[in-house]
Amino acid sequence: MNDHDHERAARRAEEAGLRFDSERLTLARRLRGLRKNQLAEAIGTTPAAIGRYEAGVHRPSPVTLSRLAMALGVPVEFFHAGHGTGVLDSAHAHFRSLRSTTQIERDQALAYGRIAADIVTALESLVELPAVDIPEHPVHPDEIGGPGPVLAARAARAAMAASPGPVPHVVRLLESRGVIVIVLPPSTERVDAFSVGAHPRPMVMFNPAKGDYWRNRFDGAHELGHLVMHADAEPGSKVVEDQANRFAAEFLMPEEDIADALPRTADWSRLAALKAEWGVSMAALLYRARTLRVMTESVYRNAMSTLSANGWRRQEPGPSRPLESPTMLVKAVELAAAAGTDRDRLATDARVTRADLDLLIPPRPHPVPA
């Protein structure tokens, strides 16, 4: 770096310091999955100092701000005030299991959701996305075993899925209704799929590591259940999660359409055929057969034991299928590029790094010439 570059970097840091937004520092730290003490060590200060910067009690000097930006892998402009769409924390998100992940892991996943929202805000000034159109059918969060989730799923199917039978593509259905669907980066692989109701659009974020077509579809329907039923419910309770599972089961396997086709015994050939037809796992079909009382409890338990003994709970037999991938934002980025705003410019407008933009909305590979 020559003298001119040093002067330019110093001016940028000084300007960023004047426009410093403490919340953006918290966002960047969470995005990288760092604790305050880890960031403090990286820039040679104390965790208490980081806490004071994030609380807005003290403003970092230009030199410190440059160190923070370098340690967090963001430009100093990332810390500018007057940007972003508000707080996004655990109180807004329906995480599947709070016990299996740490707060750091959940904060990191939410931070990616936050910058995804920033990218969407920038995109919406360039491209018209589908209007948000998710039916609402609130179910009381204390309702245990009642009909609410099933009725909500039937109402949602009537509003969203035009024809009876299997849902052809869950992710495409969500996107057609204006839901932002994101596959989270590999660093968040321990966080299961989760959803956020309104930020400013509803979002569904998938686990990057599952790689299972059938489970991913069930996850998508489960998160749709939260969006339909739980606008006011406190996330995370076992009852609320069970309601979302029951919603997903009825949404993907409506009783009226599938009850007569389910086997009364563990007929694996029959289950494999239904799995291919309905796009749900054999485990989900067995669960459905039990809850619809087609299969007795003892037959169900023996069948699940067989699944476990054969290692089929981790990977069921039969050919795999490619995951349902989100495409709405990929197409929107391509349309923006065709109109003159390429990925670098879009990242600048959204005030995220190009690397983070590409992580959340991967470019489609160019076809190999014949």
Side-chain angles (χ1 to χ4, degrees):
M1 187 180 286
N2 57 37
D3 290 344
H4 178 71
D5 291 335
H6 280 294
E7 289 177 11
R8 187 165 174 269
R11 282 199 303 272
R12 288 174 57 211
E14 186 173 355
E15 182 188 0
L18 294 173
R19 299 175 62 185
F20 177 70
D21 179 350
S22 59
E23 191 271 335
R24 299 285 292 177
L25 174 58
T26 304
L27 173 64
R29 179 177 59 78
R30 290 177 174 176
L31 198 61
R32 302 307 175 219
L34 295 177
R35 299 180 186 278
K36 291 189 181 86
N37 65 320
Q38 292 171 308
L39 179 57
E41 184 178 354
I43 70 163
T45 188
T46 65
I50 299 296
R52 287 192 288 271
Y53 299 148
E54 293 192 8
V57 176
H58 288 169
R59 185 184 297 247
S61 69
V63 172
T64 301
L65 204 60
S66 295
R67 290 174 179 165
L68 286 167
M70 185 172 294
L72 294 167
V74 297
V76 289
E77 289 82 1
F78 187 93
F79 304 119
H80 281 184
H83 193 72
T85 49
V87 175
L88 183 60
D89 58 30
S90 297
H92 299 81
H94 287 280
F95 284 102
R96 193 73 53 84
S97 174
L98 298 180
R99 291 181 180 177
S100 61
T101 55
T102 66
Q103 186 65 50
I104 289 284
E105 290 167 329
R106 294 194 294 275
D107 284 344
Q108 185 180 29
L110 284 168
Y112 275 110
R114 167 63 187 277
I115 66 166
D118 290 346
I119 295 168
V120 170
T121 298
L123 271 174
E124 287 199 282
S125 67
L126 304 166
V127 177
E128 186 174 354
L129 299 179
V132 177
D133 185 17
I134 295 295
E136 289 189 54
H137 194 105
V139 174
H140 196 284
D142 293 333
E143 179 185 312
I144 301 174
V150 172
L151 296 177
R154 289 174 182 169
R157 268 193 73 102
M160 298 175 67
S163 57
V167 176
H169 201 294
V170 174
V171 167
R172 194 172 297 155
L173 183 64
L174 290 169
E175 292 189 320
S176 72
R177 296 294 175 137
V179 177
I180 301 302
V181 181
I182 295 286
V183 178
L184 289 165
S187 59
T188 61
E189 66 179 15
R190 277 172 41 84
V191 177
D192 215 331
F194 68 98
S195 55
V196 179
H199 195 274
R201 286 170 173 269
M203 290 192 287
V204 170
M205 281 158 273
F206 283 104
N207 179 303
K210 276 195 172 180
D212 186 308
Y213 167 86
W214 293 273
R215 291 179 186 173
N216 254 48
R217 278 170 55 86
F218 196 90
D219 285 349
H222 175 104
E223 300 308 327
L224 174 62
H226 285 312
L227 299 179
V228 170
M229 299 187 293
H230 297 144
D232 293 325
E234 185 175 343
S237 82
K238 188 176 180 181
V239 174
V240 164
E241 290 303 304
D242 179 66
Q243 289 177 349
N245 281 335
R246 293 171 59 210
F247 175 100
E250 177 65 21
F251 190 83
L252 292 176
M253 300 169 280
E255 178 179 1
E256 183 178 349
D257 296 347
I258 203 171
D260 291 341
L262 291 168
R264 296 182 180 280
T265 61
D267 180 342
W268 299 109
S269 296
R270 180 65 184 151
L271 289 166
L274 289 172
K275 173 182 175 178
E277 178 184 358
W278 288 83
V280 293
S281 67
M282 288 195 289
L285 287 162
L286 288 167
Y287 180 78
R288 193 67 174 139
R290 183 187 71 163
T291 55
L292 293 180
R293 301 184 187 282
V294 173
M295 188 174 282
T296 65
E297 182 71 20
S298 61
V299 171
Y300 168 77
R301 289 188 180 281
N302 287 336
M304 293 304 290
S305 295
T306 301
L307 278 179
S308 298
N310 291 327
W312 294 347
R313 298 190 80 160
R314 293 189 300 276
Q315 183 172 3
E316 293 188 354
S320 60
R321 289 188 187 177
L323 297 178
E324 292 183 353
S325 298
T327 58
M328 182 172 75
L329 295 184
V330 175
K331 291 176 182 174
V333 171
E334 290 172 350
L335 286 172
T341 302
D342 64 14
R343 282 178 170 265
D344 288 329
R345 173 66 183 276
L346 178 62
T348 300
D349 291 349
R351 214 167 292 166
V352 304
T353 68
R354 169 65 190 271
D356 286 328
L357 170 65
D358 290 348
L359 265 180
L360 292 174
I361 311 175
R364 281 193 271 207
H366 294 294
V368 178

